[in-house]
Amino acid sequence: VRNEQTKPELSTNEIIALFEKGATIGFANAFRQLGHVYNAGKRVPQDLALSKSYYRQAFRAFERDDSEGDPQATYTLYVCYFNGEGVQKDIQKAIACLLKAAERDYPDALVRLGDALREGNRGMAIDYERAEGYYKRAIALGREGVQARLHLLHIAMKKDRR
C-alpha cells in the first residue's frame, strides 16, 4: 500500500495573498502571476486595469533582475515583449532578449531559439544548423524533452535534402 502525503489545497484567496506578499518584496514572478490572475478572471473578477498594472510592475522587476545578470528574468522579458505584457509588444526587442538569455545558457531560451530556427518563425529565418546547436546546448545543460525536438529537426533536415 502506497502512503502518499497530500498537500492541502490552497484557496484562491490564499494563493493571491501569497502572490501579493511576494510582490511586496519585489518578486517579479509574483507581479506577473497576479497579472495573469486578474487578466483571466477565472477565480476572481476580471480586472484588466489591475492586471495591466501588475504586468507593468512585473516588467520593471524583470528589467532590474536582468540588469543583475539573471537569465530567467531576461527570458521572461522576451515573453513580455513578445506578448505585450506590461510593455508595448515589440518582436525585435523580444528576439534580442531571447538571444541574450541563450547567451547566458538559459535552457528554455535555447529551446525556444531552436524551435524558432527550426520552424522559421518568431521573426527568424530557418537555420537548421544553428537550431541543432541550441538544442544540443540545452540537452548538455540537462533540459528535458529536447530530444524529441532534435528528432523533428533531423527529419526536417533530411526532407530538405531531397
Side-chain angles (χ1 to χ4, degrees), residues 11-66:
S11 71
T12 299
N13 289 340
E14 290 171 318
I15 292 168
I16 290 173
L18 287 172
F19 287 148
E20 287 173 343
K21 186 175 182 177
T24 62
I25 59 171
F27 185 54
N29 273 319
F31 287 119
R32 186 162 183 253
Q33 291 304 319
L34 286 165
H36 291 332
V37 166
Y38 287 103
N39 186 52
K42 289 185 180 174
R43 293 186 173 194
V44 298
Q46 186 178 44
D47 188 333
L48 297 179
L50 185 57
S51 171
K52 191 174 186 177
S53 172
Y54 279 127
Y55 280 142
R56 268 189 252 123
Q57 291 175 75
F59 182 79
R60 286 192 298 272
F62 284 122
E63 281 186 313
R64 176 202 64 219
D65 295 349
D66 168 57

Side-chain angles (χ1 to χ4, degrees), residues 55-97:
Y55 280 142
R56 268 189 252 123
Q57 291 175 75
F59 182 79
R60 286 192 298 272
F62 284 122
E63 281 186 313
R64 176 202 64 219
D65 295 349
D66 168 57
S67 71
E68 295 171 1
D70 179 350
Q72 182 178 3
T74 310
Y75 179 76
T76 307
L77 286 174
Y78 147 73
V79 174
C80 292
Y81 276 120
F82 193 83
N83 295 327
E85 291 177 10
V87 66
Q88 183 74 29
K89 187 174 182 171
D90 187 325
I91 301 301
Q92 302 291 47
K93 287 182 181 178
I95 296 301
C97 290

Side-chain angles (χ1 to χ4, degrees), residues 73-141:
T74 310
Y75 179 76
T76 307
L77 286 174
Y78 147 73
V79 174
C80 292
Y81 276 120
F82 193 83
N83 295 327
E85 291 177 10
V87 66
Q88 183 74 29
K89 187 174 182 171
D90 187 325
I91 301 301
Q92 302 291 47
K93 287 182 181 178
I95 296 301
C97 290
L98 184 60
L99 289 166
K100 185 177 177 182
E103 287 169 8
R104 292 176 171 174
D105 279 337
Y106 188 65
D108 289 353
L110 296 167
V111 171
R112 182 68 63 213
L113 267 174
D115 290 347
L117 292 165
R118 183 189 79 217
E119 298 166 1
N121 63 21
R122 298 189 182 267
M124 305 189 87
I126 290 175
D127 186 333
Y128 294 146
E129 287 73 28
R130 283 181 61 207
E132 184 175 38
Y134 285 121
Y135 286 151
K136 286 182 176 180
R137 278 176 55 198
I139 290 168
L141 291 168

